Amino acid sequence: MAKPNASDPMVKHLMPLVGATITSLIVDEGESEHDEPYYGFAFTTKNGKSYECMILADEEGNGPGHLEISK
C-alpha cells in the first residue's frame, strides 16, 4: 500500500478520521418505504470536534455505498 500523498484532496478530506474515536453508528431509513437505508457513524476528533460520516455511492449522495473493512 502506498503512503498517502498529503496534497491529494481526498487525503485532506479524510484526515479528520486519523486518531478519531467512533462514538455511534447512524442508520438513516429515508423518507419513504421505498428508500434504501444509508449507513454511517459519528466520531469525535482528538481535539474534541464531533462529525458525522455517511457512506455514500458518490459525492452527490446518489444512493448508499459500501465501506470496505479489511484486516
Side-chain angles (χ1 to χ4, degrees):
M1 221 176 268
K3 183 178 177 185
N5 179 347
S7 64
D8 180 325
M10 187 55 80
V11 170
K12 288 179 182 179
H13 181 69
L14 295 171
M15 281 307 294
L17 293 171
V18 175
T21 301
I22 293 175
T23 56
S24 65
L25 297 178
I26 301 168
V27 179
D28 182 346
E29 296 287 343
E31 296 181 11
S32 82
E33 64 186 53
H34 303 292
D35 290 341
E36 292 184 62
Y38 285 74
Y39 298 92
F41 50 90
F43 66 94
T44 303
T45 63
K46 292 184 281 188
N47 64 4
K49 292 186 178 184
S50 295
Y51 295 90
E52 291 183 350
C53 180
M54 298 303 290
I55 303 165
L56 304 174
D58 54 33
E59 292 178 9
E60 289 81 29
N62 292 314
H66 178 76
L67 177 66
E68 181 179 349
I69 299 173
S70 58
K71 292 183 179 183

